[in-house]
Amino acid sequence: MNTYADSESRRDARDRPAIPAYGPIDALLGFVMFYVLVDRATPTFVDVIPTVLPSVSPSLVRLGLALALWFVFVVTSIDQIRRQLAALGVITHDAITPSSRRRGTPTETEALLYLVLALVGGTVAAWTFDRGIETAVSLIPVVVTIDVTAFVPEDFAVMVVFFLSFGVASYALDRLLIGGLRATFAE
């Protein structure tokens, strides 16, 4: 094979429009995590909010949480649609610049880095999932009632590690899978 021709075809592939845009897998995983958190926190909210605001019924608290889920879903969906349209060049989006539309597929080194980040971040997130979610839910009464004596710094640190590792893993997985789709479309 001619090395010059191979490098030319790679450069041409990297100069093609980058379709699909990065972000949908990261957004989907983020929404699923938000749903899990709201699902687990709903009983706590239903118990705590009426003690602070007695005129608020538990059914109204549940309705508010359901509306929050739908709001986040709609806003996330609209943002992802705008990102994909911006990648096509139909509209503009702050996260999609003309130069990033032409970026193409990730290099092998970038793909390997994203794979390692996805595996390490996913493993740490899996190890800390239960404790991280439990801590997030247990912080609701602490924040609502301003009871700092119930705050446990070690649990808070685990929760921060969980959300950071989950964020890194979902970002890396998005880059890895969307980059793979881009490479498939580029051929």
Side-chain angles (χ1 to χ4, degrees):
M1 276 192 171
N2 185 353
T3 307
Y4 178 73
D6 288 344
S7 65
E8 281 296 316
S9 64
R10 273 194 196 145
R11 189 177 2 214
D12 291 342
R14 287 184 67 83
D15 289 340
R16 291 185 194 138
I19 302 167
Y22 287 119
I25 294 168
D26 190 19
L28 176 67
L29 291 174
F31 179 76
V32 168
M33 180 53 59
F34 180 67
Y35 177 84
V36 167
L37 187 60
V38 169
D39 183 53
R40 297 242 182 129
T42 297
T44 305
F45 272 118
V46 168
D47 290 342
V48 171
I49 297 296
T51 60
V52 177
L53 302 168
S55 62
V56 177
S57 69
S59 61
L60 188 60
V61 173
R62 283 189 208 93
L63 175 67
L65 292 171
L67 289 174
L69 277 173
W70 278 107
F71 176 77
V72 169
F73 175 75
V74 168
V75 168
T76 302
S77 298
I78 289 170
D79 182 57
Q80 289 307 308
I81 291 168
R82 287 187 62 222
R83 281 177 177 263
Q84 299 308 319
L85 291 174
L88 290 170
V90 176
I91 63 171
T92 60
H93 189 283
D94 293 339
I96 311 290
T97 61
S99 62
S100 69
R101 266 202 310 265
R102 295 263 180 230
R103 178 102 197 289
T105 60
T107 64
E108 287 123 8
T109 306
E110 290 172 335
L112 184 60
L113 175 65
Y114 291 140
L115 178 63
V116 168
L117 287 174
L119 291 174
V120 171
T123 302
V124 172
W127 284 339
T128 58
F129 174 77
D130 287 329
R131 194 166 166 199
I133 296 294
E134 287 172 11
T135 301
V137 171
S138 70
L139 284 177
I140 295 168
V142 171
V143 171
V144 171
T145 61
I146 310 171
D147 180 19
V148 293
T149 59
F151 180 75
V152 180
E154 295 84 21
D155 289 344
F156 183 77
V158 171
M159 180 188 72
V160 169
V161 167
F162 164 70
F163 281 111
L164 286 176
S165 62
F166 178 81
V168 166
S170 66
Y171 176 84
L173 189 62
D174 181 78
R175 296 293 172 154
L176 192 63
L177 294 178
I178 296 299
L181 280 173
R182 286 179 174 185
T184 302
F185 290 147
E187 293 176 1

